[in-house]
Amino acid sequence: MSTTDPAAPRTAPRWQRKGTVIMGAVLLAALAFGTTTRTWLNVALPATTVATPDVAVSGSDAATAVTAFAVVGVAAALAAAIAGRIGRWITAVILVVAGVGVAAASYRIISDPLQGAAGAIGKAIGVTSAQGTEVELTAMPYAALVIGILMALSGIWLALAGRHWTTSRRYAAAPAAAAGTDDAGSIAEPGTPGSGTPEIGSKAAQKQAAAENSAEPMDEIDGWDRLTRGEDPTDK
């Protein structure tokens, strides 16, 4: 019979893991952006109007808002990976708004395809509409609508799962703090070991003072020694 250690850390469920949530949100936003690179509308213009009656309209031309909201969604999902608790709530709200924007812009094209194709029709014949123009929807606007809804749900998912994430903080201990501030900021006083200064009142100090204050005349050997050291032998 196996027993579980109550002190051992519990593994978070898969749906709460940061990597799973972030990758899911990024993937959905990237898919929404990917739909805008495909054809959303196939426009059949009157054959008597232009030489090439068939016009393919991409999602970036039919619904520019979808492209913008998809980019915002990718940025928000990536920012949530390094954000703190409050930052994750903010990015979750942004992700929800981006998903709603993608879904709303896609639904607008589905409900009125001619409006989405107006720009392409205007480039082809000079006017935004013409009698006999037919606009056919592809599967991409519907896919973008579904992805937009999932993006909004991923924002809620991020808000719920992000409550269980922990923010890791690493601080490097300063060597001076480990040794103590008193030792780091202390200065050796004269007479202590390692100070390089003889103790006041010691025999070495007395000899040094006597040598400096000595007024006895120097012999030739002392004079040459001072010359070799770059000193003036006449200076008392």
Side-chain angles (χ1 to χ4, degrees):
M1 181 177 179
S2 61
T3 58
T4 304
D5 186 5
R10 295 187 303 174
T11 303
R14 185 177 297 274
W15 71 272
Q16 291 182 358
R17 296 178 184 176
K18 179 184 291 188
T20 303
V21 178
I22 297 300
M23 288 303 298
V26 171
L27 180 60
L28 288 172
L31 287 175
F33 181 84
T35 60
T36 62
T37 63
R38 312 299 296 179
T39 300
W40 279 36
L41 303 172
N42 289 318
V43 182
L45 298 172
T48 57
T49 306
V50 291
T52 305
D54 296 332
V55 178
V57 184
S58 64
S60 58
D61 294 331
T64 56
V66 174
T67 304
F69 282 121
V71 173
V72 171
V74 171
L78 293 176
I82 59 175
R85 182 180 298 272
I86 298 177
R88 285 193 293 267
W89 279 100
I90 296 175
T91 53
V93 172
I94 294 175
L95 195 57
V96 170
V97 173
V100 172
V102 170
S106 303
Y107 179 76
R108 189 178 299 110
I109 298 301
I110 294 173
S111 60
D112 190 2
L114 185 60
Q115 179 182 359
I121 296 173
K123 292 180 181 179
I125 61 177
V127 294
T128 58
S129 62
Q131 190 68 25
T133 300
E134 297 180 0
V135 181
E136 180 184 357
L137 288 168
T138 65
M140 290 296 103
Y142 298 98
L145 174 62
V146 175
I147 294 172
I149 296 174
L150 293 178
M151 281 180 60
L153 293 177
S154 69
I156 301 175
W157 179 25
L158 173 61
L160 295 176
R163 297 180 303 173
H164 306 283
W165 298 348
T166 57
T167 304
S168 60
R169 298 179 180 178
R170 298 178 181 179
Y171 297 97
T181 56
D182 294 341
D183 296 340
S186 61
I187 300 176
E189 297 179 355
T192 58
S195 62
T197 304
E199 183 179 358
I200 299 175
S202 63
K203 293 182 179 180
Q206 293 176 359
K207 291 180 179 180
Q208 183 177 354
E212 292 177 353
N213 299 328
S214 177
E216 297 179 357
M218 292 187 299
D219 55 12
E220 296 181 357
I221 297 176
D222 293 337
W224 281 109
D225 290 340
R226 297 192 64 176
L227 283 174
T228 55
R229 293 196 300 266
E231 300 177 359
D232 186 3
T234 62
D235 187 7
K236 300 296 183 181

